[in-house]
Amino acid sequence: MDFALSEEQQLMRTQVRSLARKFDWSYWRELDRTGAYPHAFFNTFAANGWTGAVIPTEYGGSGLGMTEACIILGEICASGAGTTGAAPIHFSMFPPQPIIKYGSEEMKQQYLPKIAKGEMKLAFSVTEPNVGSDTAHLETTAVRDGDEWVINGRKIWCSNAQNADRVLILTRTTPIEQASKRTKGMTLFFAAIDRDAIGIRVIDKMGRHAVDSNELFIDNWRVSHADLVGQEGEGFYHLLDGLNPERIVIAAEAVGIGKAALHRAVQYATERTVFGRPIGKNQGIQFPLAEAYARLEAAELMVFKAAWLYDHGLPCGAEANMAKLLAADAGCDAVDHAVQTHGGFGYAKEFDVERLYREVRLYKIAPVSQQMVLNYLGEHVLGMPRSY
Ligand SMILES: Cc1cc2nc3c(=O)[nH]c(=O)nc-3n(C[C@H](O)[C@H](O)[C@H](O)COP(=O)(O)OP(=O)(O)OC[C@H]3O[C@@H](n4cnc5c(N)ncnc54)[C@H](O)[C@@H]3O)c2cc1C
């Protein structure tokens, strides 16, 4: 058993840390206020090769694993960038996984080098207005017409679609009642976003104002057969190869946000004097922060265990889910205590922890809710009866 990062990983951590910290708290505060996309941040990370981190070397990337993706995204979040900084970068990390594993050679050669260079931005679309946690019942259909497929339906919460060039989208190609299993008969496409055939409406949301999430109204969108990823009808299973990495990197982000908030809280607790002494001298302030630190460290161990399993080609469903569960809780808890430590200033935008509070809350809901993780653990890990 080896808990140490390699020399390369430590160097990478230092490089990402210093690059991310070039964008200070005021940069993120301003983007949160205006809703402007973090282009400068994305372009800087792309120019330094980080958008190609997990793309295989033969397609222009660095061929690194999920462990390194976690280091990169964790450091981005720990710099104070929050999910506003992490999201544009993580789209170059987990949506490409099904393409890397199941895409045709032509698809890989055509798109992966562009993703690696940051020349192509991606979105990922599964959730629908009537279907969130219950993916098998999705209603968006794709019907074959010669060399093309015609897609119709509605999607919701498709993040990054305002700026993305292509979207990885899950559709139903065999009606659920005709499929051999409820999770069969779904097909994954990786297609250019045709803005004439897709109405895209931004959703006004609680946090991460600078990175959009959208409703898609898809009307006779024609995509080429060459855009089909893997095998027709097996899309749900292909997607799973993107979902575990997504859970793992999101967990790394939640830990990073918790660390950033904790850093601000410790700083404030040391400087702020009330009743003639720093508030950090009070155990009522100090203990919750110490406990939050311990919980973040424990969650991070599970993140790296899950990433290690994935990188070694081993089953990691339980660990990816547990990492997401523990990290979302630990991250939310740390930020909540950071807000409390700041007293009234915790509620002021100027002190930034309120932005992190709004951003980290997302991770208890998406990409999978805490309850659905517990359902998974109860059923698939503990072997109890399915509860729904
Ligand atoms: C900001 C944001 C960005 C997002 N980005 C994307 C994206 O880019 N692409 C994408 O495809 N999706 C995206 N999502 C969607 C996200 O993955 C879903 O919101 C999430 O999976 C939950 O689905 P739902 O919202 O439909 O909740 P529902 O499935 O409607 O569930 C509602 C609540 O009921 C609970 N619940 C439901 N069934 C059970 C049960 N059997 N047992 C216990 N509890 C249950 C859920 O846990 C949840 O708390 C995003 C969401 C947000 C908020």
Side-chain angles (χ1 to χ4, degrees), residues 124 126-127 132-133 157 159 213 362 365-367 369 371-372 375 388:
F124 174 76
V126 176
T127 313
S133 312
W157 292 116
S159 298
S213 293
L362 171 63
I365 302 167
S369 70
Q371 296 100 311
M372 292 312 289
N375 276 330
Y388 55 99

Side-chain angles (χ1 to χ4, degrees), residues 136-148:
H137 281 96
L138 60 79
E139 293 164 356
T140 297
T141 56
V143 176
R144 181 124 191 209
D145 181 17
D147 270 352
E148 292 185 328

